[in-house]
């Protein structure tokens, strides 16, 4: 799994790791049952402390995207083909989406541009998921 982070970004590294894993799942690069690198290995690959990777993995586990066991390590728990989202997830997601979109508008992006960019991102996931 090729994953990159920008150590100079304001976004905390653990969130960048979490975001890249979520994007890899959405893009189809990671599927249900795929193993993730160990926290030590990924930390070494990225040049960051393994505790930072552990924090990202804990967040992914709490969000239901991966499972972590002593025997198999971190494994993708679900992907887009795993069936419908758990009850209540859409409402929680919409709250986070509202905040993200509000941030874009508050920082000067036109609402129409936000709509176009959102549609382009969603379409990119569809294109990658197509056979």
């Amino acid at each position: 799994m090729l994953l990159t982070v920008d150590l100079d970004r304001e976004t905390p590294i653990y969130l960048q790791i979490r975001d890249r894993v979520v994007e890899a799942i959405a893009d189809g690069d990671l599927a249900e049952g795929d193993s993730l690198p160990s926290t030590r290995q990924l930390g070494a690959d990225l040049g960051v402390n393994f505790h930072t990777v552990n924090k990202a993995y804990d967040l992914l586990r709490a969000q239901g995207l991966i499972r972590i066991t002593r025997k198999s390590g971190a494994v993708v728990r679900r992907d887009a083909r795993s069936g419908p989202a758990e009850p209540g997830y859409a409402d929680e997601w919409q709250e986070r989406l509202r905040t993200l979109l509000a941030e874009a508008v508050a920082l000067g992006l036109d609402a129409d541009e936000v709509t176009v960019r959102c549609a382009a991102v969603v379409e990119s996931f569809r294109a990658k998921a197509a056979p």
Side-chain angles (χ1 to χ4, degrees):
M1 176 177 83
L2 180 62
L3 186 141
T4 59
V5 294
D6 182 350
L7 303 177
D8 295 325
R9 267 181 88 187
E10 288 188 31
T11 305
I13 296 167
Y14 79 95
L15 284 179
Q16 291 184 53
I17 294 168
R18 179 251 177 223
D19 292 349
R20 298 303 81 79
V21 171
V22 170
E23 290 165 4
I25 293 169
D27 286 341
D29 296 331
L30 285 173
E32 183 179 352
D34 286 350
S35 294
L36 299 175
S38 70
T39 55
R40 289 186 190 278
Q41 182 61 55
L42 187 54
D45 291 348
L46 297 174
V48 300
N49 190 296
F50 77 94
H51 290 297
T52 301
V53 178
N54 193 49
K55 191 171 182 179
Y57 280 14
D58 280 345
L59 186 54
L60 288 162
R61 182 193 48 73
Q63 293 170 332
L65 289 165
I66 68 172
R67 67 179 182 278
I68 301 172
T69 64
R70 285 186 161 173
K71 191 173 187 177
S72 57
V75 176
V76 176
R77 180 176 166 256
R78 65 171 292 122
D79 61 21
R81 295 173 301 278
S82 298
E86 295 180 12
Y89 173 76
D91 293 335
E92 178 186 322
W93 172 81
Q94 187 171 345
E95 288 177 26
R96 292 187 328 220
L97 176 64
R98 179 174 168 67
T99 300
L100 186 62
L101 296 176
E103 177 184 312
V105 172
L107 290 172
L109 287 181
D110 177 82
D112 290 334
E113 181 179 357
V114 170
T115 301
V116 167
R117 288 177 180 260
C118 287
V121 169
V122 170
E123 190 56 38
S124 76
F125 296 134
R126 280 193 191 122
K128 290 178 180 174

